[in-house]
Amino acid sequence: MVSTPFRLQHANSTSLCPDLTLPGHTPLYSCMSPKTFKTCLKVLRRRHLYYLSQLITPTGTHLVSWTAYQTAYIALLADKRGRSLPHKWYLDIQATTTIPDLHDRLYDRYVCSPTDVPDVSLVPGVTTNQKNRHWLVTLDDHAAPLFGKQLTVQPKKDTCIIVHWTSDCLSSPGDVIRLHPCPGCDAHVSFPAANKYTAVEPRCTFMVSLSRSLILPTNCDRIRQTTTDVASSYSWADLCSIVVSYYNRLSISPDFSSSIPVVDGDSTSPTLLCNTPDLPSPIVLPPGSHYRFYTDGSLINLGTPDILMGWSWVQIIHDAGYLNSVAAYTHGTIRNWPSSTRAEIAAIFAALSVTPEDSVVSLYTDSQAAINGLHSCTSSTYTNSRFYYKTTNFELWTSIECCIREKRLSILPVKVKGHDGNYWNDFANSLANSAHQSDDALLLPEAIITSSHNVRLVYDDIVCESNPRRLFKVYYQATYMRDLLSLKRFQLTFCLIDRDDYIVDWDLTWFTLNYSPSHDASFQAHHASRHYTFKFKLFLDDLPLLEKLKITRPDLYIDLLTCRSCCLRKEDLMHLILCSKRRTAMHQIFQSYQNHLFSKLREAGELADVDPTLMIRKLSSLSCWSISSSNWSSYALIRGCLPKIFIDLFVELSISRQSAMKVVAAIHNNFIQKLRRRIWNPRTYDKSRWEDAMHITLKLKTTPRPSNLPASTYVPFSSLPPLTHLVTSRDSGTDWIKNSMLQGLPWYSHLSGFMGRLTVLLNNSFCRMGCQLL
């Protein structure tokens, strides 16, 4: 999270935590470039390196030299393999923290106070493995010394199991340490297969941390049946300072609040909703009474800056003398992460927050999702990782669960059918809808919702209420998508952005690219993967055309080389379509594509009892059916960027969108199959004949490019016309992730221009194919 807008923040701004910015306790990630830190993270974890203090000399003014570090740590590892050169992570830390040409002297901001140099030097326990088990010394929970011989080592978990031996070193700190077998204690960890590793059944075992343990030299390498006394050459007075300092050096708690801005609406202490003076309270009943609330939520203008969410609750007291038994009611709004479910559970949270303690509460709602969430909140088998963090709105759900637990409420959720003539439910619905324009509607403050957690995740200035792992993944997918859109191969979409007759439907495009034509007998199993690859290479403009090969293999394909079918023009993707040797075949394929769509529209018209003549005429008037070097829409259609009108026409004929997408995808797959058979395969045959004549064999083509070749400066020829305006996305300054948090809908739906519906899966396949060409 170092280089992202994500931050961890205290919900209670008065919380005190250790300052990790103190000299010497600086986190290593702040001493390294993000790229190096990400690359070397596994190595740093394996070495148990977290803070700069672990790499500073006892004087506190210099960085530990690589030679000293190698001698103390790496030389003791079984997998050292004779490495002597400084690792990349060390060089990066050295360049960041030390003054050049001053023998690794630290900058003043990294200098720390000097430490006493111990008379004894012990090796850390992290250097052990299963083959060289040692005696260890560490500290227990009471800061008392803990001794033992290793049985098993779990380096990935930073733990090991030791046979516990005791000593009276605290009563005689000046005497040498003498160890005796532990007869058994409360902290014993069962070890069922102990005799597999030692001849003596261990009476007491401990699990300890490798990073907080030191190897203790003793006069006994192996415990035998007759071993009852083990001695060390050191006393506890010799070891006390080094063991305590080593044990405590990794015990610094992370500080999530330093240098992080406070979110608007935060308060210094958790705020209770019932203390808000603007919020009407329910009619208070005798202690232990049964409260009944009808709750509802509303959502309007989803996916736009005018998005609004309203909530309401209505208290019902039967036969209480009030009009229609309505005792009290209120409504309000809530911001961010918009959804109808969020509005529903905000209403439930508002009702429970003002309910007195030790009450039974019946909640009537028309939201099944809210009912399921309440069951999870009140379930005795509930765990945070199982429900809250797997769903959106987990801050709201945890606040509801805390409210139920702290007030000792008994919840009875009841499902009612919405808009079915139920007076109280209709009343709650009208209140929620009126909250959008009402001046007295209460806004639920963010600090109230998030007060259940000590630490919260924040994106920019918005508290994250989605699965954090999924949110991080989405963020990086959006970042990769921006990089994808900047490639030259997608500049064609800018020429379609203002065209009335060809607006690309990226949802349909992606569905078609992934569509499996298994229903078609012409697509046999052994052809399916080849067809799938051809579709994606065509879409990404990554086919091995001569203009591409001149860059990747200039030693085999010279700059002057022309199309091997017509020998008239240089071969790029547009020429593949317009080559004089294949022009007739290309026209026939396009005509078949058009006729296939017309026939399916007529079938849909007959099913809907609608005359499709006007729709067919509209479809035939599209510019994409005319192939020319200046027609960007035909170029887009061939590559697989399909227009919205293909789907819209079927939807107008009462065909569901999903069914229409399957129809269009099947038609386009048939078109691609014909394109590959009648255009690409003959072209490949012509090229292979020329390669045979030039003795360019498959073995030669698959060999690595010669290393002594100079870098290619060849600019690929393009038969496409130059762009008539600057290639800049209208969404270049838009934060897609933040838009989805504020306005709803997936992030890729907020792109107002050409990539509006392309899903994040495109990035995954793009990366798998390893496409690097522009």
Side-chain angles (χ1 to χ4, degrees), residues 485 490-506 623 632-633 636 641 644 723-732 751-756:
L485 302 189
F490 284 106
Q491 289 184 2
L492 69 105
T493 55
F494 292 96
C495 297
L496 305 173
I497 196 169
D498 296 324
R499 297 292 296 271
D500 295 332
D501 64 341
Y502 205 97
I503 302 299
V504 178
D505 188 327
W506 293 104
S623 61
W632 289 90
S633 59
C641 304
K644 294 176 63 68
L723 295 171
T724 57
H725 57 279
L726 294 176
V727 182
T728 304
S729 170
R730 292 190 295 181
D731 301 288
S732 59
L751 282 72
S752 58
F754 56 91
M755 278 290 183

Side-chain angles (χ1 to χ4, degrees), residues 505-517 532 535-536 640 642 647 657-666 668-669 757-759 761:
D505 188 327
W506 293 104
D507 192 18
L508 171 63
T509 296
W510 180 250
F511 180 84
T512 304
L513 284 170
N514 285 278
Y515 185 72
S516 176
Y532 182 85
K535 276 196 302 182
F536 262 92
L642 304 182
I647 294 295
R657 179 175 176 83
Q658 192 64 25
S659 299
M661 289 173 65
K662 291 181 180 179
V663 171
V664 174
H668 188 79
N669 267 275
R757 297 292 296 173
L758 184 58
T759 70
L761 294 178

Side-chain angles (χ1 to χ4, degrees), residues 456-657:
R456 60 196 179 194
L457 183 66
V458 176
Y459 180 89
D460 199 347
D461 58 347
I462 301 176
V463 177
C464 300
E465 293 200 51
S466 180
N467 183 320
R469 293 181 63 184
R470 185 186 304 133
L471 197 59
F472 296 154
K473 182 179 180 180
V474 166
Y475 170 77
Y476 282 105
Q477 287 170 335
T479 304
Y480 292 145
M481 181 61 72
R482 285 189 184 276
D483 297 337
L484 177 68
L485 302 189
S486 65
L487 298 180
K488 293 181 180 178
R489 65 185 71 191
F490 284 106
Q491 289 184 2
L492 69 105
T493 55
F494 292 96
C495 297
L496 305 173
I497 196 169
D498 296 324
R499 297 292 296 271
D500 295 332
D501 64 341
Y502 205 97
I503 302 299
V504 178
D505 188 327
W506 293 104
D507 192 18
L508 171 63
T509 296
W510 180 250
F511 180 84
T512 304
L513 284 170
N514 285 278
Y515 185 72
S516 176
S518 57
H519 67 283
D520 194 332
S522 64
F523 292 92
Q524 301 180 13
H526 61 281
H527 292 157
S529 61
R530 187 181 305 172
H531 173 77
Y532 182 85
T533 302
F534 181 79
K535 276 196 302 182
F536 262 92
K537 283 186 174 290
L538 182 63
F539 172 73
L540 297 171
D541 191 10
D542 202 37
L543 289 172
L545 298 162
L546 290 179
E547 290 303 296
K548 302 281 186 181
L549 296 173
K550 290 175 185 178
I551 300 178
T552 57
R553 292 304 300 265
D555 55 321
L556 302 179
Y557 303 92
I558 61 176
D559 297 350
L560 299 177
L561 196 61
T562 57
C563 171
R564 304 324 300 162
S565 298
C566 66
C567 299
L568 297 176
R569 299 289 298 274
K570 295 184 177 181
E571 188 187 54
D572 62 348
L573 185 57
M574 182 59 81
H575 178 74
L576 177 70
I577 301 166
L578 297 176
C579 181
S580 58
K581 296 293 184 180
R582 297 181 289 271
R583 190 172 299 167
T584 302
M586 195 68 219
H587 177 75
Q588 292 173 351
I589 296 172
F590 251 64
Q591 191 64 45
S592 174
Y593 194 161
Q594 188 180 40
N595 293 338
H596 205 165
L597 275 173
F598 289 171
S599 65
K600 291 299 180 181
L601 275 175
R602 292 190 184 97
E603 292 178 11
E606 292 177 2
L607 291 175
D609 196 19
V610 175
D611 185 7
T613 303
L614 293 177
M615 297 182 180
I616 293 175
R617 191 176 301 165
K618 185 177 181 180
L619 183 62
S620 62
S621 65
L622 293 178
S623 61
C624 62
W625 304 118
S626 175
I627 308 175
S628 70
S629 60
S630 60
N631 190 346
W632 289 90
S633 59
S634 63
Y635 182 69
L637 180 62
I638 292 170
R639 285 182 58 176
C641 304
L642 304 182
K644 294 176 63 68
I645 193 173
F646 280 11
I647 294 295
D648 294 341
L649 293 178
F650 282 98
V651 173
E652 289 180 22
L653 294 174
S654 302
I655 303 297
S656 68
R657 179 175 176 83

Side-chain angles (χ1 to χ4, degrees), residues 151 160-164 185-192 194 202-208:
L151 280 175
C160 69
I161 295 179
I162 63 172
V163 181
H164 184 208
C185 58
D186 295 338
H188 171 69
V189 178
S190 60
F191 193 77
R203 300 177 184 175
C204 182
T205 59
F206 265 89
M207 181 174 290
V208 298

